[in-house]
Amino acid sequence: MHTPSVSAPDLHRIRAGLSLSSALSICLIAGFHGSAALAQDGAATGMATAQEQADRPDPDRFDDEEESADLSTRPLEDAPQDTVDLPTGQSADSEEIAFEADTLSYDSSSDTVTASGSVVLRSGDRSVRADRVTWNRNSGEILAEGRVRFVDENGNQLFSDSVVLTDEFEAGAMENLLLALRQGGRLAAETGSRGADGTIELERAAYTACSVTTPEGCDKAPSWRITADRVTYDPSDSRVRFRNAYLELFGARLLPLPGLSIRTDGGPVAGFLVPDLRISKSNGLEVSGSYYWRLGPNRDATASAYVFTEALPMVSGQYRQLTDKGAFQITGYATYSRRISSLTGNRVGERDFRGYVFANGQFQFDPNWSLTGSVRRASDRTFLRRYDISRDDRLRSTIDLERIDRQSYLSIAGWATQTLRLGADQGQVPLALPAIDYRYRLNDPVLGGKVELQANSLAILRDEGQDTQRAFARARWDLRRVTGMGQLVTLTGRVRGDVYHSSDNALTDTALYRGNPGWEARGIAVAAVDVEWPLVGQFLGWDQVLTPRVQFAASPPIRNLAIPNEDSRAIDLEDSNLFALNRFPGYDRVEDGARVTYGVDWQLRAPGWDLKTTLGQTYRLDKDPGVFVDGTGLSERVSDIVGRTQVRFRDFVKLTHRFRLDKDNLAVRRNEIDATVGSARTYAEVGYLRLNRNIFQVEDLQDREELRAAARVAFRRYWSVFGSGVFNLTNRDEDPNLGSDGFQPIRTRLGVAYEDDCLEMGLTWRRDYLDTGDAQRGDTFQVYFALRNLGFR
């Protein structure tokens, strides 16, 4: 039988250099083979923080079944087994200590029992393995020596040169020990002791929560460790407390950590977080730090301070709470600062209060009813970009009360939007309250199929713009059947009645969107039949599915232009809405007339490869295209041709190409490419979009051309370099309102990073090429540092 071993030199190396890299791998892999190696696999869990909690699996441990399986390799008759007689004074109710050993001797003069050669002792959930065990029956002391491994009732594993145990199998004094915690983390020390309650006291100790081996089983030096004069591990609260502790990074002592206390079960502990360092054009040098409070098992808070060389300080705070019905969080930023002139670059005006608040939450009152809400407000339009908090160009606050069951859905919602676009009129931004939507599904008892009933209402208010209120009721019927030849046939019927009221219509700049002021009503009816015919076969030995599809839809003329258009403005023919009964994205515009839509889907599968492509077009039976604008691909009797192709090779290559071709000359009106090549650590991404629709008279439909690129290259095992860029390729011919010459960088980024199982750090350089108010263009440098399993971040 092979017995695990820990040599004294190994443990000295662990303690002195925390060679919890080579030393641990030597003593736990080479010495223990599969047994202790399992105890060292994976990253140990450290303290969680306000920013994130990283889940880590508990390290494997030996249970009694594993030990018995190991011992069973030796013939039963060659493995002496006995039960030690209870010593004088021990209660008969106490657990007996069973042992196995190669040899057993008894010294009657000293009343001492000695077991040697692959000794295994068990008592309840605890066990000891050692080369030699001596039990003094007079004193009740049990001394285990030589490659000792003690597993306690909590699953923690103690490796030591020697361990003193009581006759009740409680570990006492230990020397040259290594403690592998079941919940994560490893402690090495010169001396230590274990109390009856499981508390472990260590002297001149070192701690790490990093893995000491790679996934391939090779040695790995831990990224960081903590050294301390004294360490106490209390299993009752899974906490490790340090006295006179220092943080060491890659073997270099960097930072004193007075009063440090961490948890090994992923639970958070109050304390300071690692500071951030940044240099930006707008604020100069920035140093920020945070303090985290654990206010209870279901709530916490974080306070942060930011100090700048070119601006006054800023503070922020976050509060989070989990209730019996849901969870919510509130985050806020506040400062006093002066604006930066976009002309001179100097600070101008008086110091004003500037800030931002973000709160959101979700509550589930019962299996059906829930409430979701969020609030986002900034003091001005450039605060978020000036302090690099967010690059959003609008902030939306929402509330939504929902009821969902198997047959019905109810939503009572509202939203308000704050624009952050310079030059945009906040008075023209709508407030939607209330937005009510109710749907009910039932089976059709006459013809079969499904029936959905819907009622919807919406009120849109503006301070300085058009106000609109609408309400409609709708019924939809769908019937799907598969014919004997394999065609999938879908029949659809839909009727709807609308009522609208609007005022101040002339304040809407685009006349096509205004509608008639006052009350308007309309009726809508649509009927459609959709046929798909999947054809399955082989192509060059690969599986393929060819699916021709045709759809016929008809609707009588609809009074579209009499109705205000609030939610159906961004219309464009593409593969996603090719077979939609209404190509408009909302309810205010509805496609009318009779039309035939035809296309084909093709899918090809081979080992490792997956190819999907779609191609289609629409033909109108009416000469008048109705409400569609030139350039959308739908304004003539025959539409443009749209398609999408997706290619995927395992998880290494993914390519998506969407396009729209002019039906007259096959000119590319929409060209969109998204491609990713590489693995999770080394990859390249490219995104390209060009909209060549020649639309100048309608907002939201201008031509655009943009390129996005990103790449990351891993070198060595944990290091990588990365970069990205966003470029505006739109020229004056495509959009006369732009001053671009066809190549205008928007933002670029370049950096280097280190990331392993418990440490993340890096340096990032970013350059912004456009001024946005007092968020100046220029260079930004940021240093970031995160100790994942120590409670920092």
Side-chain angles (χ1 to χ4, degrees), residues 69 128 139 227 266 322 449 468 763:
V128 170
S139 64
T227 58
L322 177 67
T468 302
L763 172 65

Side-chain angles (χ1 to χ4, degrees), residues 43-47 52 54 56 208-212 220-225 247-252 254 274-275 681 712 717-720 752-763 783-793:
T45 303
M47 188 188 100
E52 66 177 356
R56 294 285 188 270
T208 187
C210 301
S211 174
V212 296
K220 171 185 174 297
S223 306
W224 59 261
R225 69 169 186 163
L247 172 66
E248 294 187 4
L249 187 66
F250 297 115
L254 298 180
V274 173
R681 299 190 66 232
R712 179 179 291 270
R717 180 176 292 274
Y718 302 108
W719 289 92
S720 63
V752 58
Y754 175 93
E755 182 177 4
D756 63 19
D757 60 299
C758 61
L759 172 65
E760 181 181 359
M761 63 179 183
L763 172 65
V783 177
Y784 59 93
F785 182 79
L787 300 176
R788 294 177 176 172
N789 298 332
L790 191 56
F792 296 156
R793 290 205 192 285

Side-chain angles (χ1 to χ4, degrees), residues 107-300:
D107 186 347
S108 59
S109 61
S110 60
D111 198 12
T112 301
V113 178
T114 302
S116 59
S118 302
V119 185
V120 179
L121 285 76
R122 296 189 186 90
S123 179
D125 294 330
R126 289 169 290 182
S127 66
V128 170
R129 289 182 181 231
D131 290 342
R132 176 186 175 89
V133 171
T134 303
W135 175 28
N136 189 315
R137 293 167 59 89
N138 292 323
S139 64
E141 181 181 270
I142 301 174
L143 175 63
E145 298 175 291
R147 300 182 297 179
V148 180
R149 186 187 68 144
F150 174 79
V151 180
D152 67 15
E153 63 276 11
N154 298 311
N156 303 314
Q157 299 185 67
L158 286 163
F159 302 94
S160 178
D161 288 346
S162 64
V163 174
V164 177
L165 302 99
T166 67
D167 52 10
E168 294 185 357
F169 216 64
E170 297 290 348
M174 296 167 280
E175 293 184 357
N176 292 327
L177 65 96
L178 168 68
L179 170 60
L181 301 174
R182 179 178 182 271
Q183 296 166 323
R186 297 158 183 85
L187 283 158
E190 289 187 4
T191 61
S193 62
R194 182 183 186 275
D197 60 352
T199 300
I200 298 175
E201 301 280 350
L202 305 176
E203 301 291 338
R204 294 178 296 280
Y207 170 84
T208 187
C210 301
S211 174
V212 296
T213 59
T214 66
E216 296 79 15
C218 300
D219 296 348
K220 171 185 174 297
S223 306
W224 59 261
R225 69 169 186 163
I226 300 172
T227 58
D229 291 342
R230 186 179 182 87
V231 176
T232 303
Y233 168 65
D234 187 351
S236 63
D237 59 2
S238 301
R239 183 169 296 190
V240 179
R241 294 174 173 85
F242 300 84
R243 189 179 70 184
N244 194 21
Y246 283 84
L247 172 66
E248 294 187 4
L249 187 66
F250 297 115
R253 177 175 287 193
L254 298 180
L255 182 69
L257 301 172
L260 177 65
S261 173
I262 65 175
R263 295 180 62 122
T264 64
D265 60 356
V269 176
F272 287 98
L273 309 182
V274 173
D276 278 336
L277 180 65
R278 180 183 300 171
I279 302 175
S280 67
K281 178 68 173 178
S282 300
N283 301 315
L285 176 64
E286 170 191 339
V287 179
S288 62
S290 302
Y291 187 85
Y292 171 79
W293 284 277
R294 176 69 167 174
L295 302 177
N298 65 328
R299 54 197 179 97
D300 59 22

Side-chain angles (χ1 to χ4, degrees), residues 652-670:
F652 188 77
V653 176
K654 184 177 181 181
L655 170 68
T656 301
H657 180 216
R658 297 180 178 88
F659 60 90
R660 175 160 66 88
L661 305 178
D662 191 289
K663 53 114 180 148
D664 295 321
N665 54 17
L666 299 183
V668 179
R669 298 302 179 191
R670 179 188 183 100

